[in-house]
Amino acid sequence: MKIFTNIFASLSIVLLLGACSNSTEATKAKNIAFVDSLISKMTLEEKLGQMTQVDRQFLNDISDISKYGFGSLLSGGGSTPEVNEPKAWAEMYDSYQKEALKSRLQIPLLYGIDAVHGHNNVVGATIFPHNIGLGATRDPKIVEAVARATALEVAATGIDWDFAPCLAVPDDYRWGRTYEGFSEDTELVTELGGAAVRGYQSANINNPNSVLACAKHFIGDGGTSFGTGLNKLIDRGNLAVSEDELRKRHLPPFQKAIDEGVATFMAAYNTWNDLKCHANKFLLTDLLKEELGFKGFVVSDWAAIEEIPGDYKSDIITSINAGIDMVMVPGAVKFGNESYENFLKLFKESVDEGLIPMNRIDDAVRRILMIKKQSGLFERPFSDQSLLTYIGSQNHRQIAREAVQKSMVLLKNKNDMLPLPKSGKKIIVAGRGADNIGMQSGGWTISWQGEMGNTTDGTTILEAIRSAVNDETSVEYSVDGKGVTGDVAVVVIGEKPYAEMEGDRKDLKIAKEDLAVISRFSDKNIPVVVVLLSGRPMIVTEELDEWDGFIAAWLPGTEGAGVADVLFGDYNPTGKLSFSWPKNMDQFPINPEDDHLYKFGFGLSY
Ligand code: BGC
Ligand code: BGC
């Protein structure tokens, strides 16, 4: 009987699987037929429109969306609706979509945004730790949960596509984007990057609660040499490594993203052995699409094709022929970049003159339309505002708090000064990061570069400490630490928010004003625990002796309670460095074998 049931059960599983794969096969065939038929009706202009992405802030008129049939719009960092609140985002999205559907073939547009640590342009959204903090959790489950929650908040505003995860493998922390990377270690980036893709897209991109992920930046952005980038710094610099090394160090996370079904890729600004990735047919076509079999589409980075040597028309020809499928134009005339009108004019000329073959155009358009079709955009072009309650919800803030707990790395704990007692002692809280949502969130928060101060809703570290103790009066706060005294001081210091370009640094010293606050306590022999808010390890070798406790808090985001949970021992720290902690500025590019202040993988518990 038992055997019989088992046989029966396996038989029905086989039948079920058969039916499933038949129905996926059938859907696949239907999608292909749909896209083919659409393409057969399209004019050249309509095809080029699909390959064009414009930042909404540069639209001369909303009617340009249907006039040119743009395939995509984006919100770059800080490109927000006039009133920055969730409902206004959803309404803005719907108004653009409505306009797109007025075009002759009624093709909906894909709306893209950088939701790189939560839906971070939206006031009121949950802001999660930046990737560097998630790297320290070493926990793919929490990374997937964070990405899933982010996807829900993004989807709630109607937005379809997230320019994340960043799969950089940074090895020189002078780079202002170090914090966008999970780790200096390829394997860890691969594991956590895969988890992020699963979280954003869920098991099926045709899920109304999922968003399309984007593996970026392809390839090698984290490995460029200092001095070769913008302003002789590092961002957008040159990656000088052999193909072997490129494949070993930088490729595996991208391979994994493809295995997880990532829908899109973004090309990288940097050069590889002096050739712009955006101009590199070997990378974008031979390697990515042919060898690795990537079936989705490749978007260029912001005005990145303009950095290819030559005039704008030749930039278009080179990048499209290399394998770029959609160009983030983005129409930034006010920043001295090209307009979308000029882009479309030169693009069309290039095809008419035979400088870009028609089958390249059709391939790009097919890839874009297929993702639109597979993700259900044609069936569900508008936002579902019933999802708006997810934005900044208690449940998501709880996920963020857990991610923060797990991302804290306890580096020093002299005389077991931590965890702090919740009663019986007077705790001083000081430092410019203590009561500062903007600083604890870092770049890519509300604005592109981020900002100090009260930029969005959340719990500061000070507020969290106040609610953790049994009697609030036992906490005294002073930003600069002047005129206060107590049994122990928690000093929250670090870096002011920054993002790409502006975050490049020649050295990584702690600011003098921060050190002054610490000395105000150590001079009086009051034990100090330093909580460092930073987008990378900083050089603390000489100062460390003065500190009794030291926690790397990275850029935790809006849920400061996760920091307090560790300070008071409600969570016993488990975070481990996902980046080696150098002793001095001579240890870049990082080599894990060097004699560092703290080794890769270091992290104490109570
Ligand atoms: C960044 C990308 C980002 C894009 C859109 C670029 O400057 O390099 O990471 O996705 O802008 O904001
Ligand atoms: C960023 C955008 C930003 C723009 C401003 C780009 O590089 O990616 O998000 O809005 O620069 O210049």
Side-chain angles (χ1 to χ4, degrees), residues 68-140:
Y68 297 112
F70 293 136
S72 178
L73 289 182
L74 88 146
S75 274
S79 181
T80 75
E82 219 162 299
V83 185
N84 188 345
E85 50 104 23
K87 194 161 189 294
W89 278 89
E91 282 164 0
M92 177 176 84
Y93 172 91
D94 286 344
S95 71
Y96 295 143
Q97 199 61 279
K98 208 168 128 202
E99 188 59 42
L101 294 176
K102 286 185 193 156
S103 60
R104 188 178 72 98
L105 294 170
Q106 301 171 16
I107 303 176
L109 54 81
L110 275 179
Y111 200 107
I113 199 162
D114 298 283
V116 298
H117 63 145
H119 199 1
N120 46 246
N121 283 288
V122 178
V123 172
T126 313
I127 305 296
F128 297 89
H130 268 297
N131 286 348
I132 193 169
L134 296 180
T137 71
R138 308 255 172 152
D139 181 354

Side-chain angles (χ1 to χ4, degrees), residues 132 169-179 183-185 222 224 226 234 249 495 498 503-508 535-539 554 577-585 587-592 596 598 600:
I132 193 169
V169 189
D171 64 11
D172 188 331
Y173 317 154
R174 289 171 288 191
W175 191 37
R177 307 192 80 160
T178 301
Y179 66 76
S183 175
E184 76 187 25
D185 179 66
T224 63
F226 192 82
I234 186 166
R249 183 160 170 85
E495 294 187 296
Y498 56 77
D504 284 6
R505 294 281 178 274
K506 288 196 175 129
D507 83 75
L508 298 171
R536 47 198 155 191
M538 303 189 69
I539 305 300
W554 316 113
L577 291 179
S578 62
F579 286 90
S580 311
W581 200 291
K583 277 191 173 148
N584 56 57
M585 292 302 294
Q587 294 185 312
F588 297 118
I590 278 293
N591 169 2
H596 288 127
Y598 298 112
F600 176 85

